[in-house]
Amino acid sequence: MAKSTLPLYTNLGEIRAAHAELLAWLRSGRDRAALIAAGREFLQRGQASGAMLDDDDSRWIAQGLLDYWVATIYRAGESIDAFNLADFNPDLAPELPEEQCPYRGLDAFREEDRDWFFGRERVIAQVLEILKAQRLLAVIGPSGGGKSSLVRAGVIPRLQAGVFADGAAWDVLPPMVPGSNPIAALERILPAGRLPERPTLLFVDQFEETFTLCSSDSLRGAFIARLVELLTAPAYPHRVILTMRSDFEQYVTRSEALLPLWEKAKYYLPPLTAPELREAIELPAQQVGLKFAPGLVDALLHDVLGEPAALPLLQFTLLTLWSKRDRNRLTLEAYREVGGGRLALARAADALYDSLIPEDQLAARRMLLRMVQPGEGLEVTSYRVRRVELFSGENPEQIDRVLRRLIEARLLRRSIGAQSGDEQIEVAHEALVRNWPRLVGWIEDARADLRRRRRLTASAEEWQRLNHDPGLLLRGALLAEAADYSDLNPLEQDYVVASRAAEEKARRAEIEQIRRLAEAQEHRADAEARRAAEQAHHSRRLRRLALVLAGLLLFAVVATLAAVIAQQTARVLKCWRKPRRNLPVPPRAKPAPVKRKPRWLARSPKHSARPDWRSPRRIGARSKRSCMPWPPPFPPRRATMCRFNRLCTPSLVSRWCAMRLIRAKLCAPLPGRAMAVG
């Protein structure tokens, strides 16, 4: 049989499509002669296309289709020979263009990739049923579980196609991620104070950033309040879909406004089963005619099934194999070369890093560390940075060169902002952070520095949001630490400069305050010294006055005592000298001669005692000495003393003085009288 010059079918799918067209023609009964000619052409192309089919299952199916049309033409009364598939010839395989790649690598599937998204039909149907019944849906799953791809490539295209009962197409707002300022990100797609006037779907991807990247409670509260307002709007049944990592779900308890709606809206995304993973591998390949070497799909499933980030690892491995394809075929040799499903990502990243010069390697390390944020414990999340911030303190040409290499290797992803200069760069997927050992080691070594670096960035953004509030500026050790960073972006540089100026101003104010306090202390010390001197002088005056008063008091006491004594003495003398008016004065008798006793009697111990003063002899002798008559013209001495006691004060001193005076007067001779000589 002559060699066919007709174009070949590149894969089994094209053969099946041509077979389906011929069947429809046959069943219509139109122009059987033309149908017989089209059938012969199909047989010739299908026979020659056997050189394109390598696996036994595809060849068996294609051979069965050829046999069917041979029998159909034979039953129509036409003579025809048997058509057998040509042997497989790898040199005849077509070259697949690069733009037909059905795999996304570490990027999530988007709305325009819905034709390549397979394996989630069951989950998509469940999600649509939930959206019919309620207005909020929260898709929760682990990192790398396919949450974003499910919503963007599976749910949103069906909502836009009008899968609900009313058949109306929904307005779908552009997807958003909260970032460090979620309310600003929301207002870019939904202006404040306005609600959509048609049923609208809002998709918030990576909702955990509301709690991990946004450090302001006020911004977080305003963002969640806008979401609740959209969900409770009575005019139109708007819908909101959130995706969130399961290890951050507990953060939702911080929002009291969202928590009542959250409990009913949760949907935990199940992992892909082995049949679903096979669909995700093979069905996109069939769309473009890509072939797999025997056993390659099974090896892929064995490596990625059960991995935490199975989908991104699978997609990156398939994308790497696509770059090493042999025409339209993926081989086992290329699969072993890239390291299999588990090591393909790490080996690709290591190969790129090792191909850089040492200076570019350091720049790549600094760049990658700026795009991750360590969380509590061992969690690490990706962090988007503006492209212009990567050039702070760096060589622009070097940063451009390294950034271009990382983006071409699909390790980083670039996002176009709403305004010029808002272009953002981020890690293509968190699977890179988890599955590249070199980056994991960098993060562990710099975990504490990264946390401090993120706090500095968050503080600068909060300072800018609050119109440069001076209360948010850095002080002390925090300012010194921030000044040591060499990769500050313009906002952070302004923040550090303002903090330095404020600290310098505060230092000068503190010095001035210390000076004033010193002067005040000096004035206070002088005043205290003067007050102490005055008090000492006053104390001396008081002591002198007290001494004077004490002397005066003592003088007054002594004078008073002397006056009392003199008065009492005068009264006693007056009483003693006053003559007795009613007593007769006896005539003075001549004293009798004194008879002397003999010496022997005078010396007798019995008579040698001193005579009593009351004895007549003693009294006579006294009367003779004093020339006073006997008996005396006044009462006895005891009576005189009793009178004296009655006249005197009860003072012991007065009594003593009076007694001494009386004794002296009694013993003294009267004036004008001579003492008798015995």
Side-chain angles (χ1 to χ4, degrees):
M1 185 173 54
K3 183 177 180 180
S4 174
T5 59
L6 297 174
L8 303 180
Y9 297 117
T10 58
N11 53 65
L12 180 62
E14 293 183 3
I15 296 176
R16 282 179 168 176
H19 169 69
E21 292 180 1
L22 291 176
L23 279 181
W25 193 349
L26 177 62
R27 290 167 184 169
S28 66
R30 299 178 291 103
D31 196 358
R32 297 185 64 85
L35 176 62
I36 296 297
R40 290 181 181 276
E41 181 181 349
F42 171 76
L43 290 172
Q44 292 176 5
R45 292 181 62 186
Q47 183 182 27
S49 298
M52 312 288 291
L53 303 177
D54 55 344
D55 61 290
D56 294 338
D57 292 339
S58 299
R59 294 183 66 85
W60 273 104
I61 295 173
Q63 186 62 54
L65 297 178
L66 295 181
D67 293 341
Y68 174 82
W69 285 104
V70 168
T72 300
I73 294 175
Y74 181 78
R75 284 196 300 268
E78 299 289 334
S79 60
I80 187 171
D81 297 330
F83 283 81
N84 296 320
L85 288 174
D87 294 334
F88 173 69
N89 185 1
D91 295 335
L92 297 179
E95 290 284 352
L96 298 180
E98 189 67 30
E99 59 271 10
Q100 289 187 5
C101 178
Y103 305 114
R104 300 276 72 89
L106 296 180
D107 295 337
F109 283 85
R110 299 181 295 272
E111 291 82 347
E112 56 269 22
D113 302 323
R114 56 182 176 270
D115 294 335
W116 318 119
F117 186 72
F118 293 96
R120 286 295 194 182
E121 297 298 328
R122 175 177 57 88
V123 175
I124 292 173
Q126 294 175 357
V127 169
L128 291 176
E129 288 298 324
I130 295 175
L131 284 176
K132 290 180 181 179
Q134 59 191 40
R135 300 173 65 172
L136 175 63
L137 173 66
V139 181
I140 304 173
S143 176
K147 304 179 293 295
S148 302
S149 299
L150 169 70
V151 176
R152 297 194 64 177
V155 177
I156 290 179
R158 286 166 175 78
L159 289 176
Q160 291 174 333
V163 296
F164 284 177
D166 54 7
W170 282 56
D171 287 342
V172 180
L173 297 175
M176 64 158 288
V177 288
S180 59
N181 192 346
I183 189 65
L186 178 61
E187 289 178 352
R188 282 197 291 266
I189 61 176
L190 186 64
R194 256 179 28 188
L195 291 176
E197 298 180 355
R198 289 186 57 189
T200 303
L201 173 68
L202 172 63
F203 173 46
V204 182
D205 197 11
Q206 302 178 31
F207 184 66
E208 66 272 5
E209 292 184 1
T210 308
F211 305 95
T212 59
L213 297 185
C214 179
S215 58
S216 173
D217 293 337
S218 59
L219 293 179
R220 185 185 306 116
F223 173 65
I224 293 177
R226 287 295 309 277
L227 294 182
V228 174
E229 179 186 8
L230 185 64
L231 289 170
T232 57
Y236 298 99
H238 305 300
R239 299 292 196 274
V240 175
I241 301 179
L242 311 175
T243 60
M244 188 174 191
R245 283 175 49 177
S246 54
D247 47 352
F248 292 104
E249 183 187 356
Q250 69 274 12
Y251 289 170
V252 181
T253 57
R254 300 179 182 178
S255 174
E256 298 180 357
L258 185 62
L259 193 58
L261 301 174
W262 183 265
E263 294 300 325
K264 297 180 180 179
K266 293 188 296 186
Y267 176 78
Y268 293 97
L269 182 64
L272 284 170
T273 62
E276 291 173 340
L277 280 174
R278 186 177 293 274
E279 290 181 4
I281 296 171
E282 295 179 346
L283 295 184
Q286 293 179 9
Q287 299 291 324
V288 297
L290 183 65
K291 307 295 182 180
F292 293 94
L296 178 57
V297 176
D298 294 334
L300 275 169
L301 292 177
H302 179 269
D303 285 347
V304 303
L305 190 62
E307 285 291 321
L311 282 179
L313 291 178
L314 174 63
Q315 288 290 322
F316 186 85
T317 304
L318 290 171
L319 180 62
T320 307
L321 291 175
W322 169 269
S323 64
K324 298 180 178 297
R325 66 189 182 279
D326 183 11
R327 294 179 179 270
N328 68 335
R329 186 181 179 85
L330 303 181
T331 63
L332 280 173
E333 291 77 8
Y335 183 71
R336 297 188 186 98
E337 180 183 351
V338 301
R342 295 179 181 176
L343 300 178
L345 178 58
R347 286 191 179 182
D350 284 333
L352 174 66
Y353 182 79
D354 294 337
S355 66
L356 301 174
I357 61 176
E359 292 79 5
D360 290 353
Q361 287 180 350
L362 294 176
R365 175 176 178 171
R366 290 193 298 268
M367 191 181 303
L368 289 170
L369 288 178
R370 292 199 62 180
M371 297 178 190
V372 296
Q373 169 154 337
E376 299 178 1
L378 299 178
E379 296 88 357
V380 179
T381 58
S382 60
Y383 183 80
R384 286 180 299 278
V385 297
R386 292 194 302 171
R387 188 176 184 274
V388 295
E389 297 178 3
L390 298 176
F391 294 88
S392 300
E394 301 283 354
N395 184 359
E397 295 181 359
Q398 182 186 40
I399 296 299
D400 272 334
R401 181 172 62 251
V402 175
L403 190 60
R404 183 173 61 254
R405 292 285 303 277
L406 292 173
I407 292 176
E408 290 175 354
R410 306 286 184 96
L411 299 180
L412 298 183
R413 181 171 58 237
R414 179 173 53 192
S415 302
I416 305 299
Q419 301 176 359
S420 60
D422 285 347
E423 181 180 354
Q424 295 180 334
I425 307 296
E426 63 179 324
V427 175
H429 198 278
E430 291 179 0
L432 179 65
V433 181
R434 296 171 178 265
N435 294 275
W436 187 12
R438 179 171 289 176
L439 179 57
V440 172
W442 292 343
I443 294 173
E444 290 302 320
D445 294 340
R447 181 178 289 271
D449 293 337
L450 288 174
R451 287 176 177 170
R452 290 193 292 267
R453 188 69 176 80
R454 292 284 84 79
R455 284 198 295 267
L456 172 61
T457 303
S459 300
E461 293 175 352
E462 184 72 5
W463 174 69
Q464 183 184 36
R465 187 185 68 85
L466 295 179
N467 297 325
H468 300 176
D469 185 1
L472 299 176
L473 295 175
L474 300 176
R475 297 287 189 277
L478 292 178
L479 178 57
E481 180 182 299
D484 292 338
Y485 292 116
S486 60
D487 56 346
L488 297 176
N489 58 43
L491 174 60
E492 293 169 345
Q493 291 176 358
D494 295 341
Y495 183 53
V496 171
V497 170
S499 298
R500 282 178 173 173
E503 187 180 45
E504 181 64 23
K505 182 179 179 181
R507 188 180 65 84
R508 290 196 299 267
E510 184 178 0
I511 292 175
E512 181 66 20
Q513 184 179 6
I514 292 174
R515 187 184 62 79
R516 292 178 181 176
L517 288 176
E519 292 178 355
Q521 289 287 350
E522 185 178 356
H523 294 331
R524 191 178 299 110
D526 294 341
E528 291 291 337
R530 290 193 299 270
R531 190 178 300 110
E534 293 176 359
Q535 289 179 354
H537 179 68
H538 186 63
S539 298
R540 289 194 297 270
R541 291 184 61 186
L542 289 179
R543 285 196 298 271
R544 292 171 184 171
L545 181 60
L547 291 175
V548 171
L549 292 178
L552 293 176
L553 179 61
L554 180 60
F555 177 77
V557 171
V558 171
T560 303
L561 183 60
V564 170
I565 293 174
Q567 182 182 6
Q568 295 296 333
T569 303
R571 292 179 64 181
V572 169
L573 292 177
K574 182 179 180 180
C575 293
W576 180 73
R577 290 177 179 177
K578 186 176 181 180
R580 301 184 64 174
R581 298 176 182 177
N582 300 326
L583 294 178
V585 179
R588 182 168 181 169
K590 183 177 180 179
V594 178
K595 294 181 178 181
R596 297 185 177 272
K597 293 180 180 182
R599 291 184 178 272
W600 59 267
L601 183 62
R603 295 178 179 178
S604 177
K606 180 177 179 181
H607 302 283
S608 63
R610 185 178 179 181
D612 187 20
W613 68 278
R614 289 196 179 110
S615 65
R617 183 179 177 185
R618 175 66 178 169
I619 295 175
R622 182 181 179 91
S623 300
K624 290 178 181 180
R625 286 195 304 268
S626 59
C627 300
M628 293 181 60
W630 182 261
F634 48 83
R637 185 175 182 180
R638 182 176 298 275
T640 305
M641 290 299 296
C642 291
R643 182 188 298 178
F644 175 74
N645 288 340
R646 286 195 301 269
L647 295 176
C648 292
T649 60
S651 172
L652 180 62
V653 177
S654 301
R655 291 181 181 181
W656 181 82
C657 294
M659 287 293 296
R660 296 290 295 180
L661 184 59
I662 291 173
R663 287 182 180 179
K665 290 295 183 181
L666 290 177
C667 296
L670 295 175
R673 296 184 182 180
M675 181 176 297
V677 179

